[in-house]
Amino acid sequence: MVHAQDVSLPPRLFPLSLSVEAGQVVHLIGPNGSGKSTLLQLLSGLEMPETGHIAINSQRLGGQTRQTLAQWRGYLMQHQRPAFVMAVFEYLSLVLDSLPRQSLQQMAGSARDEAVNHIASRLAVSDKLHRRIDSLSGGEWQRVRLAGALLQVLPSLNPHACLLLLDEPATGLDVAQQEIIYQEISMMAATYGIAIVMANHDLNRTLVHADKVLLLNQGRLVATGRPGQVLTDRQLSEVFATPLEQVSTVNGPVIMRARTS
């Protein structure tokens, strides 16, 4: 469904290839500056690779309008705030404005409101809808932004959407909020068949929630495969330049800093 062939943008990212199928959750992991955000930017179509190409459902991203890209994929960037102040419901309305007009015209207003209220409730921002975005805490704003990204790819609102790109979606969230976020991501993939590609710093979440992992370092692909194949003690310790190991617990394996004698 999503295919990147030998894409690069030196020196931030060197040639790599990636395929993501419908309903698959792919985690991008690696130290800061390893190329995760650059790869997401290229997959979004907002930046073009120096070499290679990217296609969604066999349609190349190069030359597509921003409106077309918005119909195909949702994209949660890092630390993004609108250029002007508005209420949360106005921000979410801007997301709906980017969706296919034909789809929205065929849907009753009550159905649109129901979709917004459902996502807002799931992410615990229903009571924030009439608040100004500049009054929100960092965690509240992160959940509002994620609500917008989920609405953009919700099939009932946008039947053309097939890809959701997330750049560290759990940033600034407490443990309970993180659990909700990962549940929603898993639901979008399993229930609606949305392909998910996300940058992630929580290796233990990757161990549990990812179907496929790309381990990046200094713009290069070090390893790719299932979590158990990629998140090995040796590879993680080398890439993160600190001793890491998987430890068995009653709740399953956990990655932690290795004890040194």
Side-chain angles (χ1 to χ4, degrees), residues 130-141:
H130 292 282
R131 289 206 14 213
R132 287 164 44 119
I133 58 176
D134 60 341
S135 73
L136 302 176
S137 69
E140 291 169 341
W141 172 233

Side-chain angles (χ1 to χ4, degrees), residues 204 207-208 246-255:
N204 287 305
L207 197 60
V208 173
Q246 272 193 47
V247 178
S248 297
T249 73
V250 294
N251 295 317
V254 174
I255 299 171

Side-chain angles (χ1 to χ4, degrees), residues 70 73-77 80 88-99 115-116 119-120 123 125 129 140-154 157-158 161 163-166 181 188:
R73 55 91 184 114
Y75 181 24
L76 180 77
M77 304 171 69
Q80 182 188 34
V88 169
F89 76 87
E90 292 175 317
Y91 171 79
L92 297 179
S93 295
L94 288 179
V95 174
L96 295 180
D97 287 342
S98 72
L99 302 181
V116 172
I119 294 295
L123 297 182
V125 294
L129 292 176
E140 291 169 341
W141 172 233
Q142 185 72 351
R143 282 180 283 144
V144 167
R145 292 176 62 230
L146 185 60
L150 294 180
L151 284 170
Q152 189 175 346
V153 298
L154 196 65
L157 296 176
N158 182 12
L163 175 65
L164 179 59
L165 305 169
L166 304 170
I181 294 299
M188 293 297 291

Side-chain angles (χ1 to χ4, degrees), residues 90-219:
E90 292 175 317
Y91 171 79
L92 297 179
S93 295
L94 288 179
V95 174
L96 295 180
D97 287 342
S98 72
L99 302 181
R101 290 190 177 275
Q102 183 178 3
S103 299
L104 293 177
Q105 289 169 354
Q106 292 174 349
M107 177 178 291
S110 58
R112 295 197 296 271
D113 292 343
E114 183 179 344
V116 172
N117 290 333
H118 172 73
I119 294 295
S121 175
R122 291 290 299 165
L123 297 182
V125 294
S126 296
D127 59 338
K128 313 289 190 301
L129 292 176
H130 292 282
R131 289 206 14 213
R132 287 164 44 119
I133 58 176
D134 60 341
S135 73
L136 302 176
S137 69
E140 291 169 341
W141 172 233
Q142 185 72 351
R143 282 180 283 144
V144 167
R145 292 176 62 230
L146 185 60
L150 294 180
L151 284 170
Q152 189 175 346
V153 298
L154 196 65
S156 62
L157 296 176
N158 182 12
H160 303 286
C162 58
L163 175 65
L164 179 59
L165 305 169
L166 304 170
D167 201 343
E168 299 180 27
T171 298
L173 303 183
D174 61 34
V175 175
Q177 293 168 350
Q178 288 180 23
E179 184 62 30
I180 292 173
I181 294 299
Y182 281 98
Q183 287 178 3
E184 287 302 299
I185 292 170
S186 297
M187 184 276 294
M188 293 297 291
T191 303
Y192 301 125
I194 301 295
I196 313 287
V197 183
M198 59 181 284
N200 188 47
H201 275 301
D202 190 332
L203 298 178
N204 287 305
R205 290 286 188 181
T206 294
L207 197 60
V208 173
H209 292 281
D211 298 315
K212 179 192 288 186
V213 182
L214 273 69
L215 176 60
L216 301 169
N217 191 28
Q218 297 180 345

Side-chain angles (χ1 to χ4, degrees), residues 45-59:
L46 297 181
E47 193 164 5
M48 289 294 105
E50 184 174 298
T51 66
H53 66 269
I54 299 169
I56 296 179
N57 289 332
S58 300
Q59 299 292 314

